Amino acid sequence: LAAQAAPNKTVTKEYLSDGSYYETVLETEVQTRSYVRGAKKTVTYKNADGKSIWYLTVTADFYFDGSTSRCTSSSVTAGSYTSTHKILSKTSGRSGNSGWAKATVGTYMGGVHVTDVTRTIYIYCDKNGDVS
């Protein structure tokens, strides 16, 4: 059996002009000599107080061999933490060495749909098994 790499996790933040932000967490849990399984990238939208509003996750498996890599599966999960935001649609896909997930989130005030935002996230694996 090939040795498995230790879990890896990175966190980045993208701030918006109103103080709210997108927090991105990248996790790589299981890696052998030729596969990355269950690599996960989650983007959580948080308000200026740091309260989580909604999230979008892409989970993917990859094959790599030192000269090339490819995404073998990709899936999406998305959800809302508040009653004022609803996931209107979600989808996922893969192409070459990348997987992606896309969601449209609606904002509601007094039960009335006032606006929505669409977010797409990507996860990549290079020929050496490094995920980004």
Side-chain angles (χ1 to χ4, degrees):
L1 283 175
Q4 292 186 354
N8 185 38
K9 181 177 178 179
T10 59
V11 180
T12 57
K13 296 179 181 180
E14 172 192 346
Y15 285 89
L16 305 179
S17 59
D18 63 357
S20 63
Y21 60 96
Y22 292 101
E23 181 180 83
T24 300
V25 178
L26 175 65
E27 299 173 271
T28 306
E29 295 184 357
V30 179
Q31 181 174 334
T32 67
R33 289 181 184 146
S34 58
Y35 286 96
V36 177
R37 300 190 189 278
K40 184 189 303 184
K41 182 178 280 188
T42 299
V43 172
T44 303
Y45 175 66
K46 299 187 176 186
N47 66 16
D49 295 325
K51 178 184 177 182
S52 296
I53 306 299
W54 56 265
Y55 71 92
L56 170 63
T57 300
V58 57
T59 303
D61 296 336
F62 298 95
Y63 167 81
F64 65 95
D65 61 9
S67 61
T68 189
S69 62
R70 69 176 184 269
C71 181
T72 59
S73 71
S74 177
S75 62
V76 57
T77 55
S80 172
Y81 297 102
T82 75
S83 60
T84 56
H85 292 78
K86 296 179 183 177
I87 306 300
L88 302 179
S89 66
K90 60 183 178 179
T91 187
S92 66
R94 58 188 171 91
S95 177
N97 70 332
S98 67
W100 57 269
K102 177 180 179 181
T104 298
V105 185
T107 302
Y108 294 77
M109 291 189 177
V112 178
H113 181 205
V114 293
T115 187
D116 52 58
V117 62
T118 298
R119 184 83 176 186
T120 305
I121 57 175
Y122 298 87
I123 190 167
Y124 304 92
C125 180
D126 69 15
K127 64 181 182 179
N128 299 312
D130 293 320
V131 176
S132 60

